[in-house]
Structures are given as C-alpha cells and as structure tokens.
Amino acid sequence: MSYLEACAEGDLHEDTPLRVVLDDVPVTLVRTEGDVYAINDVCSHANVSLSEGEVEDCTIECWLHGSRFDLRTGRPSGPPANLPVPVYPVKIDGGAVYVEVNQES
C-alpha cells in the first residue's frame, strides 16, 4: 500500500473534521473515540462536503440533509442517503497522519 501524508497528528482535534485532498481525492479526517478515521469528503446523497458536518458516536452528519455516515464503514445510518461513502486506511507514524486513498473499503 502507498500511504500519503495527510497532516500532522496535532492538527486533529477530537470530534472536529479536517478536510484534506490527497491525489485529487477529497478526504475528511476525524479523531474520535481514541482513533483516527479517514472517509471520503463527499456525501453520497447530496454531493456536499462531509467535513462541514458534526461528529457524534463515531459518525459524521451531512450538514445539508442530516444523513449520518459511520466513520468505520462509510455506511449511512438512514435516509436520505442510501449509498455508502468510501473509507480509507489510516496510520500514524512519527507524529504524522498517513492515509491510503487508493485502497477503498
């Protein structure tokens, strides 16, 4: 796998989404519940940025219509979204956060 450096670990604040672009892929990074997650930044329902939404219970809410996506799986928890968004592997090394954007799950 080819991980790309996304940000410094210190740039991530608990339950506060951070938008980055890696290899032309918009990604939202979230530190929550002791882990760091990377999810595609585009809502599958309305094509808006998820990084502008709120984080709660390991989910991120789309600010436009209220769909919630699981940060671990990308699956929506209910309508109006019915399609998942890609999630990406994350590793932390030497104080930096790395994301593998070519390995969707």
Side-chain angles (χ1 to χ4, degrees):
M1 286 194 257
S2 178
Y3 283 84
L4 301 172
E5 187 171 347
C7 67
E9 188 177 8
D11 292 340
L12 295 176
H13 305 286
E14 188 74 13
D15 295 333
T16 303
L18 176 68
R19 183 181 192 273
V20 297
V21 177
L22 303 170
D23 275 355
D24 295 323
V25 178
V27 175
T28 296
L29 297 171
V30 177
R31 176 190 300 277
T32 189
E33 299 181 8
D35 286 311
V36 175
Y37 300 95
I39 189 168
N40 193 282
D41 189 48
V42 181
C43 176
S44 62
H45 169 255
N47 198 29
V48 298
S49 178
L50 291 175
S51 63
E52 296 177 30
E54 294 185 18
V55 174
E56 183 180 322
D57 297 328
C58 213
T59 66
I60 190 163
E61 181 179 48
C62 177
W63 62 270
L64 188 59
H65 295 116
S67 290
R68 285 201 161 275
F69 296 90
D70 189 305
L71 292 167
R72 299 163 291 212
T73 65
R75 292 187 187 116
S77 60
N82 59 10
L83 297 173
V85 294
V87 295
Y88 309 102
V90 174
K91 71 177 183 177
I92 298 172
D93 186 26
V97 178
Y98 295 87
V99 178
E100 170 53 77
V101 294
N102 296 322
Q103 180 66 37
E104 295 180 3
S105 61

Coordinates of all heavy atoms in Angstrom, one line a residue:
M1 N 0.8 -1.2 0.0 CA 0.0 0.0 0.0 C 0.9 1.3 0.0 O 2.0 1.2 0.5 CB -0.9 0.0 1.2 CG -2.1 -1.0 1.1 SD -3.3 -0.6 2.4 CE -2.9 -1.9 3.6
S2 N 0.3 2.3 -0.6 CA 1.1 3.6 -0.6 C 0.3 4.6 0.2 O -0.7 5.2 -0.3 CB 1.2 4.0 -2.1 OG 1.8 5.2 -2.2
Y3 N 0.8 4.9 1.3 CA 0.2 5.9 2.2 C 0.7 7.2 1.9 O 1.9 7.4 1.5 CB 0.5 5.6 3.7 CG -0.3 4.4 4.3 CD1 0.0 3.1 4.1 CD2 -1.5 4.7 5.0 CE1 -0.7 2.1 4.6 CE2 -2.2 3.7 5.5 CZ -1.9 2.4 5.3 OH -2.6 1.4 5.9
L4 N -0.1 8.2 1.9 CA 0.3 9.6 1.7 C 0.1 10.4 3.0 O -0.8 10.2 3.8 CB -0.6 10.3 0.6 CG -0.7 9.6 -0.7 CD1 -1.7 10.2 -1.6 CD2 0.7 9.7 -1.4
E5 N 1.1 11.3 3.2 CA 1.0 12.1 4.4 C -0.2 13.1 4.3 O -0.2 13.9 3.3 CB 2.3 12.9 4.7 CG 2.3 13.6 6.0 CD 3.6 14.2 6.4 OE1 4.7 13.8 5.7 OE2 3.7 15.0 7.3
A6 N -1.1 13.1 5.3 CA -2.3 13.9 5.2 C -2.1 15.2 6.1 O -2.6 16.2 5.7 CB -3.5 13.1 5.7
C7 N -1.6 15.0 7.3 CA -1.4 16.2 8.2 C -0.6 15.7 9.4 O -0.2 14.6 9.5 CB -2.8 16.7 8.7 SG -3.7 15.5 9.7
A8 N -0.3 16.7 10.2 CA 0.4 16.4 11.5 C -0.7 15.9 12.4 O -1.8 16.3 12.4 CB 1.1 17.6 12.1
E9 N -0.3 14.9 13.3 CA -1.3 14.4 14.3 C -1.9 15.5 15.1 O -3.0 15.5 15.5 CB -0.6 13.3 15.1 CG -1.5 12.6 16.0 CD -0.9 11.5 16.8 OE1 0.4 11.4 16.8 OE2 -1.6 10.7 17.4
G10 N -1.1 16.5 15.5 CA -1.5 17.6 16.3 C -2.6 18.5 15.6 O -3.2 19.3 16.3
D11 N -2.7 18.4 14.3 CA -3.7 19.1 13.5 C -5.1 18.6 13.8 O -6.1 19.3 13.4 CB -3.5 19.1 12.0 CG -2.2 19.9 11.6 OD1 -1.8 20.7 12.5 OD2 -1.7 19.6 10.5
L12 N -5.2 17.4 14.3 CA -6.5 16.8 14.5 C -7.0 17.0 16.0 O -6.3 16.7 16.9 CB -6.5 15.3 14.3 CG -6.2 14.9 12.8 CD1 -6.0 13.4 12.7 CD2 -7.2 15.4 11.9
H13 N -8.2 17.5 16.1 CA -8.8 17.8 17.4 C -10.0 16.9 17.5 O -10.8 16.7 16.6 CB -9.2 19.3 17.5 CG -8.0 20.2 17.3 ND1 -7.0 20.3 18.2 CD2 -7.7 20.9 16.2 CE1 -6.1 21.1 17.7 NE2 -6.5 21.5 16.5
E14 N -10.3 16.4 18.7 CA -11.4 15.5 19.0 C -12.7 15.9 18.4 O -13.1 17.1 18.7 CB -11.5 15.3 20.5 CG -12.4 14.2 20.9 CD -11.9 12.8 20.7 OE1 -10.7 12.6 20.4 OE2 -12.7 11.8 20.7
D15 N -13.3 15.1 17.6 CA -14.6 15.3 17.0 C -14.7 16.5 16.1 O -15.8 17.0 15.9 CB -15.7 15.4 18.1 CG -15.8 14.0 18.9 OD1 -15.5 13.0 18.3 OD2 -16.2 14.1 20.1
T16 N -13.6 17.0 15.6 CA -13.6 18.1 14.7 C -13.0 17.6 13.3 O -11.8 17.3 13.2 CB -12.7 19.2 15.2 OG1 -13.2 19.6 16.5 CG2 -12.7 20.4 14.3
P17 N -13.9 17.6 12.3 CA -13.4 17.1 11.0 C -12.4 18.0 10.4 O -12.4 19.3 10.6 CB -14.7 17.1 10.1 CG -15.8 17.2 11.1 CD -15.3 17.9 12.3
L18 N -11.5 17.4 9.6 CA -10.4 18.2 8.9 C -10.4 17.7 7.5 O -10.3 16.5 7.2 CB -9.1 18.0 9.5 CG -7.9 18.6 8.8 CD1 -8.0 20.1 8.9 CD2 -6.6 18.1 9.4
R19 N -10.6 18.6 6.5 CA -10.6 18.2 5.1 C -9.2 18.4 4.5 O -8.5 19.4 4.8 CB -11.6 19.2 4.3 CG -11.7 18.8 2.9 CD -12.6 19.8 2.1 NE -13.0 19.3 0.8 CZ -12.3 19.6 -0.3 NH1 -11.2 20.3 -0.2 NH2 -12.7 19.1 -1.5
V20 N -8.8 17.3 3.8 CA -7.5 17.3 3.1 C -7.8 16.8 1.7 O -8.8 16.1 1.4 CB -6.4 16.5 3.8 CG1 -6.1 17.1 5.1 CG2 -6.8 15.1 3.9
V21 N -6.9 17.0 0.7 CA -7.0 16.5 -0.6 C -5.8 15.7 -0.9 O -4.7 16.3 -0.8 CB -7.3 17.6 -1.7 CG1 -7.3 16.9 -3.1 CG2 -8.5 18.3 -1.4
L22 N -5.9 14.4 -1.2 CA -4.8 13.5 -1.4 C -4.9 12.9 -2.8 O -5.9 12.2 -3.0 CB -4.7 12.5 -0.3 CG -4.6 13.0 1.1 CD1 -4.8 11.8 2.1 CD2 -3.3 13.7 1.3
D23 N -4.0 13.1 -3.7 CA -4.1 12.6 -5.0 C -5.4 12.9 -5.7 O -6.1 12.1 -6.3 CB -3.8 11.1 -5.1 CG -2.4 10.7 -5.1 OD1 -1.5 11.6 -5.3 OD2 -2.1 9.5 -5.1
D24 N -5.8 14.2 -5.5 CA -7.1 14.7 -6.1 C -8.3 14.0 -5.4 O -9.5 14.2 -5.9 CB -7.2 14.5 -7.6 CG -6.1 15.3 -8.3 OD1 -5.9 16.4 -7.8 OD2 -5.6 14.9 -9.3
V25 N -8.2 13.3 -4.3 CA -9.3 12.7 -3.6 C -9.6 13.6 -2.3 O -8.7 13.7 -1.5 CB -9.0 11.3 -3.2 CG1 -10.1 10.7 -2.4 CG2 -8.7 10.4 -4.4
P26 N -10.8 14.1 -2.2 CA -11.2 14.9 -1.0 C -11.4 13.9 0.1 O -12.2 12.9 0.0 CB -12.4 15.6 -1.4 CG -13.0 14.8 -2.5 CD -11.9 14.1 -3.2
V27 N -10.8 14.1 1.2 CA -10.9 13.2 2.4 C -11.2 14.0 3.6 O -10.6 15.1 3.8 CB -9.5 12.4 2.6 CG1 -9.6 11.6 3.8 CG2 -9.2 11.6 1.3
T28 N -12.0 13.5 4.5 CA -12.3 14.1 5.8 C -11.6 13.2 6.8 O -11.8 12.0 6.9 CB -13.8 14.1 6.1 OG1 -14.4 15.0 5.2 CG2 -14.0 14.6 7.5
L29 N -10.7 13.8 7.7 CA -10.1 13.1 8.8 C -10.8 13.5 10.1 O -11.1 14.6 10.3 CB -8.6 13.5 8.9 CG -7.7 13.2 7.7 CD1 -6.4 13.8 7.8 CD2 -7.6 11.7 7.6
V30 N -11.0 12.5 10.9 CA -11.6 12.7 12.2 C -11.0 11.9 13.3 O -10.7 10.7 13.1 CB -13.1 12.3 12.1 CG1 -13.8 12.5 13.5 CG2 -13.9 13.0 11.1
R31 N -10.6 12.6 14.4 CA -10.2 11.9 15.6 C -11.4 11.8 16.5 O -12.0 12.8 16.9 CB -9.0 12.7 16.3 CG -8.6 12.0 17.6 CD -7.7 12.9 18.4 NE -6.5 13.3 17.7 CZ -5.4 12.5 17.6 NH1 -5.4 11.3 18.2 NH2 -4.3 12.9 17.0
T32 N -11.7 10.6 16.9 CA -12.9 10.4 17.8 C -12.7 9.1 18.5 O -12.2 8.1 17.9 CB -14.2 10.5 17.0 OG1 -15.3 10.5 18.0 CG2 -14.4 9.4 16.1
E33 N -13.2 9.0 19.7 CA -13.2 7.8 20.5 C -11.8 7.1 20.5 O -11.7 5.9 20.4 CB -14.3 6.9 20.0 CG -15.7 7.5 20.1 CD -16.8 6.6 19.7 OE1 -16.6 5.4 19.4 OE2 -17.9 7.1 19.6
G34 N -10.7 7.8 20.5 CA -9.4 7.3 20.6 C -8.8 6.8 19.3 O -7.7 6.3 19.3
D35 N -9.5 7.0 18.2 CA -8.9 6.6 16.9 C -9.0 7.7 15.9 O -9.7 8.7 16.1 CB -9.7 5.3 16.3 CG -9.4 4.1 17.1 OD1 -8.2 3.8 17.2 OD2 -10.3 3.4 17.5
V36 N -8.3 7.5 14.7 CA -8.4 8.5 13.6 C -9.0 7.7 12.4 O -8.5 6.6 12.1 CB -7.0 9.0 13.3 CG1 -7.1 9.9 12.1 CG2 -6.4 9.8 14.5
Y37 N -9.9 8.4 11.8 CA -10.6 7.8 10.7 C -10.5 8.7 9.5 O -10.4 9.9 9.6 CB -12.1 7.6 11.0 CG -12.3 6.7 12.2 CD1 -12.5 7.2 13.4 CD2 -12.4 5.3 12.0 CE1 -12.7 6.4 14.5 CE2 -12.6 4.5 13.1 CZ -12.7 5.0 14.3 OH -12.9 4.2 15.4
A38 N -10.5 8.1 8.3 CA -10.5 8.8 7.0 C -11.7 8.3 6.2 O -11.8 7.1 5.9 CB -9.2 8.6 6.3
I39 N -12.5 9.3 5.7 CA -13.7 9.0 5.0 C -13.7 10.0 3.8 O -13.3 11.1 3.9 CB -15.0 9.1 5.8 CG1 -16.2 8.6 5.1 CG2 -15.2 10.5 6.4 CD1 -17.4 8.3 6.1
N40 N -14.2 9.5 2.7 CA -14.4 10.4 1.5 C -15.2 11.6 1.9 O -16.2 11.5 2.7 CB -15.0 9.7 0.3 CG -14.9 10.5 -0.9 OD1 -15.6 11.4 -1.2 ND2 -13.9 10.1 -1.8
D41 N -14.8 12.8 1.5 CA -15.4 14.0 1.9 C -16.7 14.4 1.2 O -17.3 15.4 1.6 CB -14.4 15.2 1.8 CG -14.9 16.5 2.4 OD1 -15.3 16.4 3.6 OD2 -14.9 17.5 1.7
V42 N -17.2 13.6 0.3 CA -18.4 13.9 -0.5 C -19.5 13.0 -0.1 O -19.5 11.8 -0.2 CB -18.1 13.8 -2.0 CG1 -19.3 14.2 -2.8 CG2 -16.9 14.7 -2.4
C43 N -20.6 13.6 0.4 CA -21.8 12.9 0.7 C -22.4 12.2 -0.5 O -22.4 12.7 -1.6 CB -22.9 13.9 1.2 SG -24.5 13.1 1.6
S44 N -22.8 10.9 -0.3 CA -23.3 10.1 -1.4 C -24.7 10.5 -1.9 O -25.1 10.1 -2.9 CB -23.3 8.6 -1.1 OG -24.1 8.4 0.0
H45 N -25.3 11.3 -1.1 CA -26.7 11.7 -1.4 C -26.7 13.1 -2.1 O -27.4 13.3 -3.1 CB -27.6 11.8 -0.1 CG -28.9 12.5 -0.3 ND1 -29.2 13.7 0.1 CD2 -30.0 12.1 -1.0 CE1 -30.4 14.1 -0.2 NE2 -30.9 13.1 -0.9
A46 N -26.0 14.1 -1.5 CA -26.2 15.5 -2.0 C -24.9 16.1 -2.6 O -24.9 17.2 -2.9 CB -26.7 16.3 -0.9
N47 N -23.8 15.3 -2.6 CA -22.6 15.8 -3.3 C -22.1 17.1 -2.6 O -21.7 18.1 -3.2 CB -22.8 16.1 -4.8 CG -21.5 16.1 -5.5 OD1 -20.5 15.5 -5.1 ND2 -21.4 16.9 -6.6
V48 N -22.1 17.1 -1.2 CA -21.6 18.3 -0.5 C -20.5 17.7 0.5 O -20.4 16.5 0.7 CB -22.7 19.0 0.3 CG1 -23.7 19.6 -0.6 CG2 -23.4 18.1 1.3
S49 N -19.7 18.6 1.1 CA -18.6 18.3 1.9 C -19.1 17.8 3.3 O -19.8 18.5 4.0 CB -17.7 19.5 2.1 OG -16.7 19.2 2.9
L50 N -18.6 16.5 3.6 CA -18.9 16.0 4.9 C -18.1 16.6 6.0 O -18.5 16.7 7.2 CB -18.7 14.5 4.9 CG -19.7 13.6 4.1 CD1 -19.2 12.2 4.1 CD2 -21.1 13.8 4.6
S51 N -17.0 17.2 5.7 CA -16.1 17.9 6.7 C -16.8 19.1 7.3 O -16.3 19.5 8.4 CB -14.8 18.3 6.1 OG -14.9 19.2 5.1
E52 N -17.9 19.5 6.8 CA -18.6 20.7 7.4 C -19.7 20.2 8.4 O -20.4 21.0 9.0 CB -19.2 21.5 6.3 CG -18.2 22.2 5.4 CD -18.8 22.9 4.3 OE1 -19.9 23.5 4.4 OE2 -18.1 23.0 3.2
G53 N -19.8 18.9 8.5 CA -20.8 18.3 9.4 C -20.3 18.0 10.8 O -19.1 18.3 11.1
E54 N -21.2 17.6 11.7 CA -20.8 17.3 13.1 C -20.6 15.8 13.3 O -21.1 14.9 12.6 CB -22.0 17.7 14.0 CG -22.2 19.2 14.0 CD -23.3 19.6 14.9 OE1 -23.7 18.9 15.8 OE2 -23.8 20.8 14.8
V55 N -19.7 15.5 14.2 CA -19.3 14.2 14.6 C -19.9 13.8 15.9 O -19.9 14.6 16.9 CB -17.7 14.1 14.7 CG1 -17.3 12.7 15.2 CG2 -17.1 14.4 13.4
E56 N -20.5 12.6 15.9 CA -21.1 12.0 17.1 C -21.2 10.5 17.0 O -21.6 10.0 16.0 CB -22.5 12.6 17.3 CG -23.2 12.2 18.6 CD -24.6 12.8 18.7 OE1 -24.8 13.9 18.3 OE2 -25.5 12.0 19.2
D57 N -20.8 9.9 18.1 CA -20.9 8.4 18.2 C -20.3 7.7 17.0 O -20.9 6.8 16.4 CB -22.3 7.9 18.4 CG -23.0 8.4 19.6 OD1 -22.2 8.6 20.6 OD2 -24.2 8.7 19.6
C58 N -19.1 8.1 16.6 CA -18.3 7.5 15.5 C -19.0 7.6 14.2 O -18.9 6.8 13.3 CB -17.9 6.1 15.8 SG -16.3 5.7 15.1
T59 N -19.8 8.7 14.0 CA -20.5 9.0 12.8 C -20.3 10.5 12.4 O -19.9 11.3 13.3 CB -22.0 8.8 12.8 OG1 -22.6 9.7 13.7 CG2 -22.4 7.3 13.2
I60 N -20.4 10.8 11.1 CA -20.4 12.2 10.7 C -21.7 12.5 10.0 O -22.2 11.7 9.2 CB -19.1 12.5 9.8 CG1 -19.0 14.0 9.6 CG2 -19.2 11.7 8.5 CD1 -17.6 14.4 9.1
E61 N -22.2 13.7 10.3 CA -23.5 14.0 9.7 C -23.3 15.0 8.6 O -22.5 16.0 8.7 CB -24.4 14.7 10.8 CG -25.7 15.1 10.3 CD -26.5 15.8 11.4 OE1 -26.0 16.7 12.1 OE2 -27.7 15.4 11.6
C62 N -24.0 14.7 7.5 CA -24.0 15.7 6.4 C -24.8 16.9 6.8 O -26.0 16.8 7.2 CB -24.6 15.0 5.1 SG -24.8 16.2 3.7
W63 N -24.3 18.1 6.7 CA -24.9 19.3 7.2 C -26.1 19.7 6.4 O -27.0 20.4 6.9 CB -23.9 20.4 7.2 CG -23.4 20.8 5.8 CD1 -22.3 20.3 5.2 CD2 -24.0 21.7 4.8 NE1 -22.1 20.8 3.9 CE2 -23.2 21.6 3.7 CE3 -25.1 22.5 4.9 CZ2 -23.5 22.4 2.5 CZ3 -25.4 23.2 3.7 CH2 -24.6 23.2 2.6
L64 N -26.3 19.2 5.1 CA -27.4 19.7 4.3 C -28.7 19.0 4.6 O -29.7 19.6 4.7 CB -27.0 19.5 2.8 CG -27.9 20.1 1.8 CD1 -28.1 21.6 2.0 CD2 -27.4 19.8 0.4
H65 N -28.7 17.6 4.6 CA -29.9 16.9 4.8 C -29.9 16.0 6.0 O -30.9 15.3 6.2 CB -30.3 16.1 3.6 CG -30.6 16.9 2.4 ND1 -29.8 16.9 1.2 CD2 -31.5 17.8 2.1 CE1 -30.3 17.7 0.3 NE2 -31.3 18.3 0.9
G66 N -28.8 15.9 6.8 CA -28.8 15.2 8.0 C -28.5 13.7 7.9 O -28.6 13.0 8.9
S67 N -28.0 13.2 6.8 CA -27.6 11.8 6.7 C -26.4 11.6 7.6 O -25.5 12.5 7.6 CB -27.3 11.4 5.3 OG -28.4 11.3 4.5
R68 N -26.3 10.5 8.3 CA -25.1 10.2 9.1 C -24.4 9.0 8.5 O -25.0 8.0 8.1 CB -25.5 9.8 10.5 CG -25.9 11.0 11.3 CD -25.9 10.8 12.8 NE -25.8 12.0 13.5 CZ -24.7 12.7 13.7 NH1 -23.5 12.3 13.3 NH2 -24.7 13.9 14.3
F69 N -23.1 9.1 8.5 CA -22.2 8.0 7.9 C -21.3 7.5 9.0 O -20.7 8.3 9.7 CB -21.4 8.5 6.7 CG -22.2 9.0 5.6 CD1 -22.7 10.3 5.5 CD2 -22.6 8.1 4.6 CE1 -23.5 10.7 4.5 CE2 -23.4 8.5 3.5 CZ -23.8 9.8 3.4
D70 N -21.2 6.2 9.1 CA -20.3 5.5 10.1 C -18.9 5.8 9.6 O -18.5 5.5 8.5 CB -20.6 4.0 10.1 CG -19.9 3.3 11.2 OD1 -18.6 3.4 11.3 OD2 -20.5 2.6 12.0
L71 N -18.0 6.3 10.5 CA -16.7 6.6 10.1 C -15.8 5.4 9.9 O -14.8 5.4 9.2 CB -16.0 7.5 11.2 CG -16.6 8.9 11.3 CD1 -16.1 9.5 12.6 CD2 -16.2 9.7 10.1
R72 N -16.3 4.2 10.4 CA -15.5 3.0 10.3 C -15.8 2.3 9.0 O -15.0 1.6 8.4 CB -15.8 2.0 11.4 CG -15.4 2.6 12.8 CD -16.1 1.9 13.9 NE -17.5 2.2 13.9 CZ -18.3 2.3 14.9 NH1 -17.8 2.0 16.1 NH2 -19.5 2.6 14.8
T73 N -17.1 2.4 8.5 CA -17.5 1.6 7.3 C -18.0 2.5 6.2 O -18.1 2.0 5.0 CB -18.7 0.7 7.7 OG1 -19.8 1.5 8.1 CG2 -18.3 -0.2 8.9
G74 N -18.3 3.7 6.4 CA -18.9 4.6 5.4 C -20.3 4.4 5.1 O -20.9 5.1 4.3
R75 N -21.0 3.5 5.8 CA -22.4 3.2 5.6 C -23.3 4.3 6.2 O -23.0 4.7 7.3 CB -22.8 1.8 6.2 CG -22.1 0.7 5.4 CD -22.7 -0.7 6.0 NE -21.9 -1.7 5.4 CZ -21.2 -2.6 6.0 NH1 -21.1 -2.5 7.3 NH2 -20.5 -3.5 5.4
P76 N -24.3 4.7 5.5 CA -25.3 5.6 6.1 C -26.1 4.9 7.1 O -26.5 3.7 7.0 CB -26.1 6.1 4.9 CG -26.0 5.0 3.9 CD -24.7 4.3 4.1
S77 N -26.6 5.7 8.1 CA -27.4 5.1 9.1 C -28.9 5.2 8.8 O -29.7 4.7 9.5 CB -27.1 5.7 10.5 OG -27.4 7.1 10.5
G78 N -29.2 6.0 7.8 CA -30.6 6.1 7.4 C -30.7 7.2 6.3 O -29.8 7.8 5.9
P79 N -32.0 7.3 5.8 CA -32.2 8.3 4.7 C -31.9 9.7 5.1 O -31.9 10.0 6.3 CB -33.7 8.1 4.4 CG -34.2 7.0 5.2 CD -33.1 6.6 6.2
P80 N -31.7 10.6 4.1 CA -32.0 10.3 2.7 C -30.8 9.6 2.0 O -31.1 9.0 0.9 CB -32.1 11.7 2.1 CG -31.3 12.6 3.0 CD -31.4 12.0 4.4
A81 N -29.6 9.5 2.5 CA -28.6 8.8 1.9 C -28.8 7.3 2.0 O -29.3 6.8 3.0 CB -27.2 9.1 2.5
N82 N -28.6 6.6 0.9 CA -28.7 5.1 0.9 C -27.5 4.4 0.4 O -27.5 3.2 0.3 CB -30.0 4.7 0.2 CG -30.1 5.1 -1.2 OD1 -29.1 5.6 -1.8 ND2 -31.2 4.9 -1.9
L83 N -26.5 5.1 -0.1 CA -25.2 4.6 -0.5 C -24.1 4.9 0.4 O -24.1 6.1 0.9 CB -24.9 5.1 -2.0 CG -25.9 4.7 -3.0 CD1 -25.5 5.4 -4.3 CD2 -25.9 3.2 -3.2
P84 N -23.2 4.0 0.6 CA -22.0 4.3 1.5 C -21.1 5.3 0.8 O -21.1 5.4 -0.4 CB -21.4 3.0 1.8 CG -21.8 2.1 0.6 CD -23.1 2.6 0.2
V85 N -20.2 5.9 1.6 CA -19.0 6.6 1.0 C -17.8 5.8 1.3 O -17.7 5.1 2.3 CB -19.0 8.0 1.5 CG1 -20.2 8.8 1.1 CG2 -18.9 8.1 3.1
P86 N -16.7 5.9 0.5 CA -15.5 5.2 0.8 C -14.8 5.6 2.1 O -14.9 6.8 2.4 CB -14.6 5.5 -0.4 CG -15.6 6.0 -1.5 CD -16.7 6.7 -0.8
V87 N -14.2 4.7 2.7 CA -13.4 4.9 3.9 C -12.0 4.4 3.5 O -11.8 3.6 2.6 CB -13.9 4.3 5.2 CG1 -15.2 4.8 5.6 CG2 -14.0 2.8 5.0
Y88 N -10.9 5.0 4.2 CA -9.6 4.7 3.8 C -8.8 4.3 5.0 O -9.0 4.8 6.1 CB -8.9 5.9 3.2 CG -9.8 6.5 2.1 CD1 -10.5 7.6 2.3 CD2 -9.8 5.9 0.8 CE1 -11.3 8.2 1.2 CE2 -10.5 6.5 -0.2 CZ -11.3 7.6 0.0 OH -12.1 8.1 -1.0
P89 N -7.8 3.4 4.8 CA -6.9 3.0 6.0 C -6.0 4.2 6.4 O -5.6 5.1 5.6 CB -6.0 1.9 5.4 CG -6.7 1.5 4.1 CD -7.5 2.6 3.6
V90 N -5.8 4.3 7.7 CA -5.0 5.4 8.3 C -3.9 4.7 9.2 O -4.1 3.7 9.8 CB -5.9 6.2 9.3 CG1 -5.1 7.2 10.0 CG2 -7.0 6.9 8.5
K91 N -2.8 5.4 9.1 CA -1.7 5.0 10.1 C -1.1 6.3 10.6 O -1.0 7.3 9.9 CB -0.7 4.0 9.5 CG 0.2 4.6 8.5 CD 1.2 3.6 8.0 CE 2.2 4.2 7.0 NZ 3.3 3.3 6.6
I92 N -0.6 6.2 11.8 CA 0.1 7.4 12.4 C 1.6 6.9 12.7 O 1.8 5.9 13.3 CB -0.6 7.8 13.7 CG1 -2.0 8.3 13.4 CG2 0.2 8.9 14.4 CD1 -2.9 8.5 14.5
D93 N 2.5 7.8 12.2 CA 3.9 7.4 12.4 C 4.7 8.7 12.5 O 4.6 9.7 11.7 CB 4.4 6.7 11.1 CG 5.8 6.2 11.3 OD1 6.3 5.9 12.4 OD2 6.5 6.0 10.2
G94 N 5.5 8.8 13.6 CA 6.3 10.0 13.8 C 5.6 11.3 13.9 O 6.1 12.3 13.5
G95 N 4.4 11.2 14.5 CA 3.6 12.5 14.6 C 2.9 12.9 13.4 O 2.3 14.0 13.4
A96 N 2.9 12.1 12.3 CA 2.2 12.4 11.1 C 1.1 11.4 10.9 O 1.2 10.3 11.3 CB 3.1 12.5 9.9
V97 N 0.0 11.9 10.2 CA -1.1 11.0 9.9 C -1.0 10.7 8.4 O -0.9 11.6 7.5 CB -2.5 11.7 10.1 CG1 -3.6 10.8 9.7 CG2 -2.6 12.1 11.6
Y98 N -1.1 9.4 8.0 CA -1.0 8.9 6.7 C -2.3 8.2 6.3 O -2.8 7.5 7.1 CB 0.2 8.0 6.5 CG 1.6 8.6 6.8 CD1 2.1 8.7 8.1 CD2 2.3 9.1 5.7 CE1 3.3 9.3 8.3 CE2 3.5 9.7 6.0 CZ 4.0 9.8 7.2 OH 5.2 10.4 7.5
V99 N -2.7 8.4 5.0 CA -3.9 7.8 4.5 C -3.6 7.1 3.2 O -2.9 7.6 2.3 CB -5.0 8.9 4.3 CG1 -6.3 8.2 3.8 CG2 -5.3 9.6 5.6
E100 N -4.2 5.9 3.0 CA -4.1 5.2 1.7 C -5.4 5.4 0.9 O -6.4 4.8 1.2 CB -3.9 3.7 2.0 CG -4.0 2.8 0.8 CD -3.1 3.1 -0.3 OE1 -1.9 2.9 -0.3 OE2 -3.7 3.7 -1.3
V101 N -5.3 6.4 0.0 CA -6.6 6.7 -0.7 C -6.8 5.8 -1.9 O -7.9 5.8 -2.4 CB -6.6 8.2 -1.2 CG1 -6.6 9.1 -0.1 CG2 -5.4 8.4 -2.1
N102 N -5.9 5.0 -2.3 CA -6.1 4.0 -3.4 C -6.7 2.7 -2.9 O -7.1 1.9 -3.7 CB -4.8 3.7 -4.1 CG -4.2 5.0 -4.8 OD1 -5.0 5.8 -5.3 ND2 -2.9 5.2 -4.7
Q103 N -6.8 2.5 -1.6 CA -7.4 1.3 -1.0 C -8.7 1.6 -0.4 O -8.8 1.9 0.8 CB -6.4 0.7 0.0 CG -6.9 -0.5 0.7 CD -7.0 -1.7 -0.3 OE1 -6.1 -1.9 -1.2 NE2 -8.0 -2.5 -0.1
E104 N -9.8 1.7 -1.2 CA -11.1 2.0 -0.6 C -11.7 0.7 0.0 O -11.5 -0.4 -0.5 CB -12.1 2.5 -1.7 CG -11.6 3.8 -2.3 CD -12.5 4.3 -3.4 OE1 -13.6 3.6 -3.7 OE2 -12.2 5.3 -4.0
S105 N -12.6 1.0 1.0 CA -13.3 -0.2 1.5 C -14.7 0.3 1.9 O -15.1 1.4 1.8 CB -12.6 -0.7 2.8 OG -12.5 0.3 3.8

